[in-house]
């Protein structure tokens, strides 16, 4: 990934060698050079500061934290890349940067979410977030397990695992209350 300088669209990309290298790799794969869209973006360090960073599948940069999952109707596989490679593939570096900026800000909000002013309740905690109430509570049937309730929706798992501690409960609550921004079609 190359973050140097002001980059405006793909023509403004300063490092022409980098662009040429990416396009060469796409050609080697028999993949389209343009017309890709971002299907999903995620933070590989979403809730684990020490998670290994991702290796960009296009340029080989080893320090990708925000993974842009690129898809193309004429290509059979998705390609998981960093910001600038995503911008090259979709022909819009600024769009890729903006998408990443939104996710980076969300990651900061998520990290601080468990530290908000959670009020103790009879069997858990309560928080008012943007005017809505979030409840975390222990299951009557299995007190080891915690559930999260938000806008009438109740979840008992976080990342596919039962919630058994406050931190996971708070992160699950955050995902309900502040979901990953929709990727524009
Ligand atoms: Zn890359």
């Amino acid at each position: 990934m190359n973050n140097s300088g002001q980059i405006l669209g793909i023509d403004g990309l300063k490092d022409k060698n980098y662009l040429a290298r990416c396009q060469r790799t796409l050609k080697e794969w028999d993949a389209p050079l343009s017309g890709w869209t971002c299907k999903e973006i995620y933070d590989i360090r979403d809730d684990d500061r020490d998670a290994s960073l991702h290796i960009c599948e296009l340029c080989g940069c080893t320090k990708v934290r925000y993974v842009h999952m690129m898809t193309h109707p004429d290509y059979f596989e998705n390609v998981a890349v960093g910001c600038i490679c995503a911008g090259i593939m979709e022909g819009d570096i600024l769009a890729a940067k903006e998408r990443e900026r939104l996710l980076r800000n969300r990651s900061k909000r998520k990290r601080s979410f468990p530290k908000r002013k959670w009020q103790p309740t009879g069997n858990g905690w309560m928080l008012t977030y943007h005017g809505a109430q979030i409840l975390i509570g222990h299951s009557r049937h299995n007190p080891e397990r915690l559930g999260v309730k938000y806008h009438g929706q109740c979840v008992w798992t976080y990342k596919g695992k039962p919630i058994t501690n406050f931190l996971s409960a708070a992160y699950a609550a955050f995902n309900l209350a502040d979901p990953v921004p929709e990727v524009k079609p």
Side-chain angles (χ1 to χ4, degrees):
M1 196 166 75
N2 183 334
N3 267 323
S4 61
Q6 288 295 310
I7 296 159
L8 296 163
I10 194 171
D11 297 330
L13 188 63
K14 280 190 180 162
D15 191 343
K16 300 294 179 203
N17 291 332
Y18 173 85
L19 174 63
R21 216 162 47 235
C22 290
Q23 292 186 327
R24 198 161 56 234
T25 304
L26 288 168
K27 278 182 198 152
E28 281 166 15
W29 294 346
D30 256 329
L33 296 187
S34 60
W36 294 80
T37 52
C38 182
K39 185 174 171 263
E40 186 194 354
I41 179 170
Y42 60 89
D43 176 2
I44 211 155
R45 293 196 166 157
D46 185 36
D47 56 8
D48 177 3
R49 263 171 202 271
D50 303 319
S52 314
L53 292 171
H54 174 77
I55 300 169
C56 175
E57 292 179 359
L58 188 55
C59 74
C61 165
T62 56
K63 293 190 174 119
V64 177
R65 172 169 170 178
Y66 303 97
V67 181
H68 301 240
M69 189 63 79
M70 305 305 288
T71 187
H72 196 291
D74 300 335
Y75 197 65
F76 67 105
E77 271 183 309
N78 294 334
V79 185
V81 299
C83 184
I84 303 303
C85 285
I88 288 173
M89 294 171 88
E90 67 192 301
D92 191 343
I93 306 259
L94 289 182
K97 287 190 143 194
E98 175 62 8
R99 190 164 60 233
E100 183 156 312
R101 186 185 70 80
L102 291 176
L103 186 64
R104 194 183 307 121
N105 288 343
R106 179 184 183 269
S107 288
K108 284 181 196 152
R109 293 196 300 277
K110 182 163 181 172
R111 184 138 294 155
S112 62
F113 196 69
K115 295 170 208 147
R116 283 177 169 268
K117 288 197 164 60
W118 291 87
Q119 309 287 336
T121 62
N123 79 334
W125 300 267
M126 189 194 88
L127 176 74
T128 305
Y129 186 65
H130 294 170
Q133 180 177 264
I134 303 171
L135 290 172
I136 294 176
H138 292 271
S139 161
R140 270 181 295 120
H141 311 290
N142 181 354
E144 306 248 296
R145 289 192 68 172
L146 287 164
V148 178
K149 192 168 183 186
Y150 175 74
H151 275 311
Q153 198 183 352
C154 207
V155 298
W156 293 93
T157 56
Y158 176 65
K159 298 204 167 168
K161 292 188 193 136
I163 300 168
T164 55
N165 59 62
F166 172 76
L167 191 63
S168 297
Y171 284 153
F174 182 79
N175 284 352
L176 290 176
D178 195 340
V180 177
E182 289 282 330
V183 172
K184 285 188 206 115

